[in-house]
Amino acid sequence: MDQDTSVSTGAAAAPGSRHVVVVGAGISGLTAAYELRCRGLSVTVLEASERVGGKIASTDLGGVRVDTGAESILVRRPEARTLIEELGIGADLTYPEEGLSAQVYSRGALRPLPAGQVMGVPARLLPLARSGIVSPRGVVRAAVERLRWFSAVDRDQSVGDFVAHRMGSEVVSRLVEPLLGGVYAGRAADLSLDATVPQLADGARAGHSAAASARAALRARAAASGPVFASLRGGVGHLVATLENTLRSDPEVRLETGATVRELRRQEGRWTLTVGSAAAAHQVDADGVILACPAIPAARLLADQDPAAAQILSGIPTASMAVVSLAFPRSALPRRHRASGFLVPPAEGRTIKAATFSSRKWPWLAAELDTVAGNDEPLELVRCSVGRLGEEAVLQRPDGELVAAAVDDLRELCGLDAVPVDSHVTRWGGALPQYNVGHLERVREIRARLRKHPALGACGASYDGVGIAACVADARTTAQEVAGRCPTGTTTGANESPSATTGRNT
Ligand SMILES: Cc1cc2nc3c(=O)[nH]c(=O)nc-3n(C[C@H](O)[C@H](O)[C@H](O)COP(=O)(O)OP(=O)(O)OC[C@H]3O[C@@H](n4cnc5c(N)ncnc54)[C@H](O)[C@@H]3O)c2cc1C
């Protein structure tokens, strides 16, 4: 972008202080910047798009602000909650309505997710049989694993291979696929057991059955108390807005949007980043750099500095998806649905892969809808997810067609027979990194390589977890590590010299 218009609030860093550039202002980049400030370093955050937040975004629907990317935060692990409390918005944490079940549309009906499962792997057979999600034959096949002996396997394998080998392919296609698809939009046959369901991986390595592995994981989970998921009043976007405000009000932080980083070089004992379009590039110098952007742009930036790391990064595939947000008159949503939503296995051949009854799930949202003037009748908000790895064609349909397909599926799958009074489609191209078999080993290799460069780190959804809590944890650890390896300041914050060179296209 043009150099003059890219400059946002925030004073230049004090001469001599250590200065780190963070590339990307999703939750990972913003958190890394926050952590660097906690450690006294000055920070420049460079974000390619015109807004911060990355996969955390929102829109107006039915008169209220709703999340169109991430909509819930795992709070059973502490990192995201701790950050929220540090930012002073802990009082805004809010939890899903109690007593709502999660369902799966399978074999012609909505059916309850069996109690006691780990990413769709049932710990016990009775709830599986009662749910009707798999056929009676599928239940018998799942039961057979307890009669079999499995050898210990000392390597990563796909979730699909592990579960199908033990419990049969129907448990995979009807239970594991929709749950994994909800998080990764990926396929069980590709996704790594070690990386995506580590709770089961120990059992797999020890040669235990899938059900026994799930029971062990649930026992470990039982030790943790308190709610599993939370949101914030105003939505997850409230976290990003608060982080942004915190950073922007800090004179030692410079936060630029519309600032695509195109090149990263090491010269004269410091890092130099080329920012902006080839026609109007400028350079920013730094003592340290954190790449908090997705794997593909990170790979491009590392292509010269570390071709091997770049090659591994460029091999991490991504899945695209879309979120179709719909507002219906409240009377249209059958009250008998005491569910927060439902998942749809790919085997059902539907357009939507999940539906969340957002205003039923989140009481704060229902309360906000009640305060909206001008709606003839109170509204219910429903969020449908569309698209898995390999289903890109469906995402090429125009917005109107995606809305119509989602409405059709809702009518046929859950009896929601109404015309939406408002709708919004958000497309998330290449948004979800796929942790395929061997992912943990690849991440170890990338990190080991980056550690060989002075004060260079990478964090974000491509590495140790796609969820917000995992991204927050990774960002803080990476920022601590880069701060620890950052030499005494050789730069004076953002050196805004227009670049004589043309930046490489990214
Ligand atoms: C539809 C959807 C729903 C989700 N739901 C949930 C949920 O409910 N709960 C949950 O925990 N997780 C959820 N996730 C996952 C989670 O939201 C993301 O994994 C997480 O927000 C990623 O954060 P990040 O900062 O690592 O990456 P991103 O959000 O991708 O941010 C990276 C940033 O880097 C910028 N960038 C890229 N290249 C450059 C460059 N060259 N120069 C400068 N900037 C650059 C991008 O513009 C982007 O803003 C969901 C994801 C999606 C897509």
Side-chain angles (χ1 to χ4, degrees), residues 23-29 46-49 51-56 68-74 183 229 259-262 292-294 297-298 301 321-323 383 428 431-433 459-462 465-469 471 506:
V23 180
I27 187 65
S28 302
L46 300 169
E47 164 56 44
S49 75
R51 61 164 194 90
V52 304
K55 308 313 184 297
I56 299 174
T68 55
E71 56 102 42
S72 71
I73 303 168
L74 182 66
V183 181
F229 291 105
T260 304
V261 179
R262 300 191 174 276
C293 51
L301 293 174
M321 59 174 292
V323 171
R383 165 186 160 118
W428 292 107
L432 287 164
C459 63
S462 302
V466 299
I468 292 168
C471 289
T506 53

Side-chain angles (χ1 to χ4, degrees), residues 15-92:
S17 75
R18 295 177 300 160
H19 172 235
V20 174
V21 168
V22 177
V23 180
I27 187 65
S28 302
L30 295 173
T31 305
Y34 171 82
E35 179 66 30
L36 289 165
R37 286 303 298 133
C38 292
R39 286 167 188 271
L41 284 77
S42 70
V43 185
T44 298
V45 183
L46 300 169
E47 164 56 44
S49 75
E50 296 297 337
R51 61 164 194 90
V52 304
K55 308 313 184 297
I56 299 174
S58 55
T59 190
D60 289 323
L61 188 80
V64 298
R65 200 83 195 145
V66 291
D67 290 312
T68 55
E71 56 102 42
S72 71
I73 303 168
L74 182 66
V75 287
R76 194 173 40 208
R77 53 184 289 181
E79 298 89 348
R81 177 191 283 275
T82 301
L83 176 66
I84 286 165
E85 282 165 358
E86 280 178 32
L87 291 168
I89 53 172
D92 294 330

